[in-house]
Amino acid sequence: MREAKRITLRLAIVLLLAFVSFNQLFADDDTIFHETFDESFSGRWIVSEKEDYKGEWKREKSEGHDDYGLLVSEPAKKYAIVKELDEPVSLKDGIVLQFETRLQSGLECGGAYLKYLRPQEAGWVPKGFDSESPYSIMFGPDKCGTTNKVHFILKHKNPKSGEYVEHHLKFPPSVPHDKLTHVYTAILKSDNELQILVDGEEKKKANFLASDDFEPPLVPAKTIPDPDDVKPEDWDERAKIPDPEAAKPEDWDEDAPLEIVDEDAVKPEGWLDDEPEEIDDPEATKPEDWDEEEDGEWEAPKTDNPKCEEAPGCGEWKKPMKRNPAYKGKWHAPLIDNPNYKGIWKPQDIPNPDYFELDQPDFEPIAAVGIEIWTMQDGILFDNILVAKDEKAAASIRDTTWKPKFEAEKAKQKVEEAATGTDGLAGFQKVFELLYQAAELSFLSKHKDKIIELIEKAEKQPNITIGVLVSVVVVILTLFFRIIFGGKKAKVEKKPEPVAETSNKEGSSSGDEKKEETEAENEAAAPARRRQSRREN
């Protein structure tokens, strides 16, 4: 009986090993290129000899691991290195691009992306690899100033013009803000679908031929505004016009002032006419080093008169001003619907001479994998660079290479955060990602720099995170509602008084009246030098 159990156990182990070996063999068949940097990259990867690229690449262990990677060793340098594939790889049947990167010193300003280059016949050589070298795809993190995104750029040949155009993925995911190892995956499918994964989680899905997913779209619009079309001279875009039959009422006084003296006002009882509002400070003394020959005659500084604090006011009393009930301002004819209104003119659409149709992007094959970046930070570590035919192969490598490292780093980070009291930030990561994406919205473009600055403060200073996030959300919502409901606020009077009403038939005083009101209110609200006078109470 025991012998039978031993045989059964051995058979199970053999089958398990066979299954794992089969899966590994299957994954290996789908793997086109996999760089682990377990061995020296010297001789296999070619460092650019271009003069601008002075950054030194090193093969170093990831902090806390025995796993090696390709390290950006110096800050504020340009780096370029490339590895040719055994043979060019077609993208038309789908491809999976994946790599790990760890920002061990953080990333304030710099890139950590890869370029997948076209064959050398396109006009480049490994030792001359630089920013102008022709690529098919650029993919990976980039962060500097208001830029915070995981780039995906397809360089596509326009079949009509023959020019190569960069098509940028719209609203890409943001870059994780921590110093952990992260894995980035781009899955290109034969049905034109694109998936972007960060740490194995889908962050973005797009279609290469969808007009809303790439900027500019791969497929141009069928029609365009006619560049030669001209607005007719008699085209009237005014929805409202002044009523030509309206006349100013005879009793409309344009010269009546906005404010008049309040003749009914009475001086408050106890007003101190003979007391000044300010007196010499009795506690002030002339400084010992005061030299009257050089500094002039010393005068004590002024201070509020304490007698005026107990009285309604001091000094000469004057009757206050009040709003003139007869004020109407400059008369304007009321607006009526324009009988000749034709709407806002725009040129007519014509067929786009550059339009073309695509069933699938005309992907250029990739013949090399390169890293060409400029960064202000060192400590960027690249590892497990993968080109595969199937996403299962990428998932298998993620699980066996990235996941154990990430989980170990995450556990260590939690211990460190708990010790420093910053562990609460972990739950805000998705919020940060959403806010970075929101900052890219067009209606926030004027405020983008400030919003990004606030988000970065929230990431770095846990003690103000919640307050800053609330502020950012309030700003975004305020701007959104201002667009929806209009940006002008109703004017609020401090001391509203009834004003003579004017019907539309008589006209309006909207133009100069508003200007006069604003000037009068600004003068009335101007503060006194030391404290507000109460003479007009």
Side-chain angles (χ1 to χ4, degrees):
M1 190 66 177
R2 290 180 180 177
E3 186 64 26
K5 286 183 178 180
R6 287 197 190 98
I7 294 173
T8 303
L9 181 60
R10 287 174 184 170
L11 182 60
I13 293 172
V14 170
L15 290 173
L16 179 62
L17 291 173
F19 178 75
V20 171
S21 299
F22 177 79
N23 279 347
Q24 188 63 45
L25 180 63
F26 182 77
D28 288 344
D29 288 342
D30 286 332
T31 300
I32 298 171
F33 171 74
H34 182 201
E35 175 61 78
T36 64
F37 297 104
D38 289 341
E39 299 177 359
S40 173
F41 63 85
S42 179
R44 298 185 302 110
W45 287 72
I46 307 300
V47 177
S48 175
E49 295 180 357
K50 279 294 190 76
E51 184 177 353
D52 290 343
Y53 296 88
K54 301 295 186 181
E56 182 181 359
W57 295 98
K58 292 184 177 181
R59 175 177 170 264
E60 297 285 350
K61 290 182 179 180
S62 178
E63 293 179 6
H65 304 289
D66 289 330
D67 189 36
Y68 283 92
L70 184 64
L71 181 69
V72 171
S73 65
E74 300 172 283
K77 293 286 182 69
K78 285 186 175 182
Y79 291 80
I81 191 170
V82 66
K83 172 70 172 71
E84 292 186 77
L85 303 181
D86 292 338
E87 59 184 22
V89 178
S90 172
L91 308 181
K92 294 185 177 180
D93 295 327
I95 204 74
V96 180
L97 310 174
Q98 182 172 282
F99 68 97
E100 297 172 15
T101 186
R102 186 179 184 187
L103 312 175
Q104 298 177 124
S105 302
L107 187 63
E108 296 296 326
C109 188
Y113 43 78
L114 269 60
K115 289 184 175 180
Y116 300 86
L117 292 103
R118 291 158 51 197
Q120 292 184 39
E121 289 78 11
W124 70 280
V125 293
K127 291 184 178 181
F129 177 43
D130 63 9
S131 60
E132 300 300 319
S133 299
Y135 65 87
S136 291
I137 290 172
M138 182 175 125
F139 172 53
D142 188 21
K143 186 177 180 182
C144 192
T146 59
T147 298
N148 184 335
K149 62 181 71 175
V150 178
H151 275 298
F152 185 92
I153 303 173
L154 171 66
K155 212 161 188 179
H156 186 261
K157 185 178 181 180
N158 184 309
K160 284 214 164 184
S161 67
E163 295 181 356
Y164 284 89
V165 180
E166 288 186 356
H167 300 273
H168 293 243
L169 178 66
K170 295 173 70 173
F171 307 114
S174 60
V175 181
H177 72 284
D178 54 43
K179 299 178 182 180
L180 309 181
T181 301
H182 293 282
V183 58
Y184 299 90
T185 311
I187 304 172
L188 289 71
K189 297 185 177 181
S190 58
D191 62 357
N192 299 326
E193 183 179 278
L194 169 68
Q195 285 178 281
I196 302 295
L197 314 184
V198 179
D199 297 344
E201 180 182 350
E202 182 181 291
K203 296 293 185 179
K204 179 71 176 181
K205 181 181 285 188
N207 188 292
F208 282 107
L209 303 186
S211 60
D212 294 333
D213 287 343
F214 282 85
E215 179 61 39
L218 269 75
V219 179
K222 286 186 177 182
T223 61
I224 60 170
D226 184 355
D228 298 322
D229 199 4
V230 179
K231 182 172 72 172
E233 292 182 2
D234 61 347
W235 190 281
D236 198 337
E237 295 183 334
R238 299 172 300 163
K240 298 281 186 179
I241 60 172
D243 185 353
E245 299 180 0
K248 182 175 72 172
E250 293 181 1
D251 62 347
W252 190 290
D253 185 1
E254 292 186 342
D255 297 324
L258 177 64
E259 291 185 327
I260 58 174
V261 176
D262 185 0
E263 298 295 348
D264 297 326
V266 179
K267 181 169 66 174
E269 185 178 351
W271 188 280
L272 304 178
D273 297 84
D274 300 328
E275 288 289 342
E277 289 188 23
E278 294 181 335
I279 61 172
D280 292 343
D281 186 353
E283 298 180 1
T285 57
K286 184 171 68 173
E288 294 179 1
D289 58 350
W290 187 276
D291 188 336
E292 291 193 356
E293 291 184 1
E294 293 185 4
D295 302 324
E297 183 181 356
W298 180 81
E299 294 180 358
K302 298 293 185 181
T303 185
D304 290 341
N305 189 342
K307 294 181 180 179
C308 298
E309 297 294 333
E310 300 172 359
C314 292
E316 181 186 359
W317 180 82
K318 293 180 180 180
K319 289 185 178 182
M321 303 294 286
K322 70 174 184 178
R323 189 176 180 90
N324 184 2
Y327 172 78
K328 294 184 178 181
K330 186 173 177 60
W331 181 84
H332 297 275
L335 297 178
I336 61 172
D337 291 336
N338 183 0
N340 298 319
Y341 176 65
K342 294 183 178 181
I344 303 300
W345 182 86
K346 61 179 181 179
Q348 64 178 346
D349 286 340
I350 60 172
N352 185 356
D354 296 324
Y355 173 74
F356 56 85
E357 294 183 353
L358 282 178
D359 294 326
Q360 187 183 38
D362 186 16
F363 292 113
E364 295 284 346
I366 57 175
V369 178
I371 306 173
E372 186 273 317
I373 58 175
W374 176 86
T375 178
M376 294 302 294
Q377 273 70 48
D378 58 358
I380 302 174
L381 192 78
F382 295 91
D383 197 8
N384 288 303
I385 300 172
L386 174 72
V387 179
K389 299 177 184 177
D390 188 86
E391 56 190 285
K392 291 181 180 178
S396 174
I397 290 175
R398 258 195 327 265
D399 290 341
T400 55
T401 61
W402 165 77
K403 195 171 183 179
K405 288 187 291 188
F406 179 77
E407 289 179 346
E409 293 163 8
K410 195 74 175 176
K412 182 181 178 182
Q413 183 188 54
K414 285 184 177 180
V415 173
E416 292 174 348
E417 288 175 346
T420 58
T422 60
D423 52 319
L425 274 181
F428 289 103
Q429 180 58 38
K430 290 188 179 295
V431 178
F432 291 139
E433 291 177 4
L434 290 173
L435 290 177
Y436 276 121
Q437 292 180 27
E440 298 290 335
L441 296 174
S442 58
F443 76 90
L444 296 174
S445 59
K446 292 183 179 179
H447 309 276
K448 180 179 175 182
D449 290 357
K450 189 63 178 177
I451 291 173
I452 294 293
E453 181 183 339
L454 288 172
I455 298 172
E456 289 179 342
K457 282 185 179 179
E459 285 184 318
K460 297 174 184 176
Q461 302 180 43
N463 57 317
I464 63 169
T465 295
I466 295 177
V468 171
L469 291 181
V470 170
S471 300
V472 172
V473 172
V474 168
V475 168
I476 292 174
L477 291 178
T478 299
L479 293 172
F480 175 75
F481 285 120
R482 185 175 294 178
I483 290 173
I484 299 298
F485 299 110
K488 293 183 178 179
K489 296 182 179 179
K491 187 179 291 182
V492 179
E493 300 285 349
K494 289 185 177 180
K495 295 182 179 179
E497 293 188 22
V499 182
E501 295 183 359
T502 303
S503 68
N504 281 339
K505 293 181 180 178
E506 291 182 335
S508 67
S509 58
S510 58
D512 293 345
E513 177 184 353
K514 289 182 179 178
K515 183 178 179 181
E516 291 174 20
E517 286 179 1
T518 302
E519 290 175 353
E521 286 171 4
N522 288 340
E523 291 176 3
R529 180 166 60 90
R530 290 295 301 271
R531 66 185 184 86
Q532 190 171 358
S533 173
R534 288 181 283 178
R535 291 178 184 173
E536 299 182 356
N537 289 351

